């Protein structure tokens, strides 16, 4: 297609914006223009916020959450029930459960699910860290809050095999999560209800 | 809703990302996580690209295009037909026409359309600059390539009143632009055809 429309600085900005989830090439162009037109109100502050995020944000070595301290604020908060771990696929799911104030416990972010077809095995997601946390003791319940997809349920069964058989109660979210649905798209009430009626695995 | 989910640095990043067109609060959260997870490949380069854009990009004082020089590359390109001005509402429309390689002329970006209900009058958009460019001479044709909306057509008539009556031919895009449609959403073939079959005003 055609000659280059804008200078290299703008083209580069558009190209990078188009890599954000939710923005295609066309919306990336609109976003770039919006940024340029709102230089002082948006472009400069957003660039600064990204610099700061890049500098300060770390991944919690205990649970996989993102925060500015390691261990993260959730892992160190004494007001949380430290005997319960909620296992989620992604940080977005942790955020969704927190927004729903569904439970006041700790988390474990897998960073993915088992997917043999995509070559993703147990060593590629945070299962070993979860097994270690459970082995260290003090945990009475693990709630497996993965997506209701085939890969999610496969992952849930694998985790149950790894940490089951001891004193630790293993549960999963109640039906209420639509089959095939993803946590991050559910409303807060459904999420809270699904946590309340969690069933033994 | 609920306790704060992430630290202030992440919340601020999400809040600013949500101001981009095409990103709501939920997709802004996903975009923020994506940026954090792709720190070296995306977060840092995008912050740099935005810094550079904020530093270098200016609005062309002749035509209203965005570029790194003023006048812009289109206004100074000797290979372009300097006797024809294509009037568009927004830079996104200029880009759309350029991508379609619809015409090799100069542009005039209004930065909006007349909209009495929204309090947008002739002084709020770049009409005076267009009148000045035409008055300076050397222009044989002005192609009014505004959106096929009520406001766009009102603006086209107003411009015709302001610059018509002299030697300058005034034309508008051929029908082919769907009624109510916006230029930036059209395919390149339709845009090129609409320029080819432009009709006298
Ligand atoms: Zn943590
Ligand atoms: Zn220009």
């Amino acid at each position: 297609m055609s000659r280059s429309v804008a200078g290299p600085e703008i083209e580069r900005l558009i190209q990078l914006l188009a890599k954000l989830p939710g923005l295609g090439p066309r919306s990336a162009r609109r976003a770039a223009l919006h940024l340029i037109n709102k230089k002082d109100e948006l472009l400069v502050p957003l660039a600064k916020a990204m610099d700061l995020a890049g500098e300060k944000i770390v991944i919690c070595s205990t649970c996989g959450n993102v925060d500015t301290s390691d261990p993260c604020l959730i892992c160190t908060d004494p007001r949380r029930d430290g005997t319960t771990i909620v296992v989620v696929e992604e940080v977005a799911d942790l955020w969704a459960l927190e927004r729903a104030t569904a439970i006041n416990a700790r988390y474990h972010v897998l960073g993915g699910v088992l997917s043999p077809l995509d070559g993703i095995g147990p060593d590629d997601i945070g299962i070993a860290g979860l097994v270690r946390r459970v082995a260290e003791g003090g945990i009475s319940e693990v709630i497996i809050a993965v997506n209701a997809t085939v890969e999610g349920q496969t992952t849930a069964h694998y985790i149950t095999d790894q940490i089951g058989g001891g004193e630790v109660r293993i549960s999963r979210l109640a039906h209420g999560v639509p089959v095939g649905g993803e946590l991050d798209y559910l409303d807060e009430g459904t999420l809270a209800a699904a946590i309340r009626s969690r069933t033994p695995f």
Side-chain angles (χ1 to χ4, degrees), chain A:
Chain A
M1 83 161 209
S2 67
R3 55 202 151 189
S4 165
V5 166
E9 291 84 2
I10 300 177
E11 293 288 358
R12 172 105 179 117
L13 182 61
I14 294 170
Q15 200 186 73
L16 289 167
L17 285 170
K19 291 185 181 174
L20 291 178
L23 289 183
R26 171 161 285 147
S27 46
R29 288 194 297 266
R30 290 188 164 262
L33 279 175
H34 191 74
L35 284 166
I36 292 165
N37 285 328
K38 307 248 173 210
K39 189 172 142 177
D40 294 330
E41 308 96 291
L42 190 53
L43 178 72
V44 173
L46 183 53
K48 270 191 201 143
M50 288 171 57
D51 274 334
L52 200 64
E55 245 171 60
K56 294 215 164 181
I57 291 168
V58 290
I59 290 167
C60 176
S61 55
T62 301
C63 76
N65 187 18
V66 295
D67 205 335
T68 48
S69 61
D70 180 16
C72 72
L73 286 179
I74 289 177
C75 280
T76 53
D77 183 349
R79 288 160 305 176
R80 283 179 184 257
D81 169 14
T83 67
T84 300
I85 296 176
V86 182
V87 179
V88 294
E89 295 181 19
E90 306 288 355
V91 174
D93 302 324
L94 183 162
W95 287 357
L97 290 166
E98 286 292 296
R99 281 196 305 278
T101 57
I103 190 166
N104 193 33
R106 303 255 155 84
Y107 290 92
H108 194 84
V109 180
L110 296 172
V113 273
L114 296 178
S115 179
L117 287 176
D118 299 317
I120 299 173
D123 295 341
D124 301 310
I125 60 178
I127 291 179
L130 176 65
V131 171
R132 204 160 42 233
R133 287 175 76 184
V134 171
E136 281 165 2
I139 306 298
S140 60
E141 181 173 7
V142 172
I143 304 173
I144 304 181
V146 295
N147 290 331
T149 56
V150 173
E151 290 85 0
Q153 296 314 304
T154 304
T155 307
H157 281 105
Y158 183 88
I159 290 172
T160 306
D161 286 346
Q162 296 295 304
I163 62 176
E167 298 288 289
V168 175
R169 188 150 44 110
I170 304 175
S171 56
R172 58 180 165 186
L173 294 185
H175 282 299
V177 178
V179 174
E182 300 197 345
L183 289 197
D184 193 31
Y185 286 90
L186 295 182
D187 65 274
E188 302 175 1
T190 307
L191 281 167
I195 283 274
R196 266 197 312 278
S197 350
R198 59 190 184 266
T199 55
F201 217 121

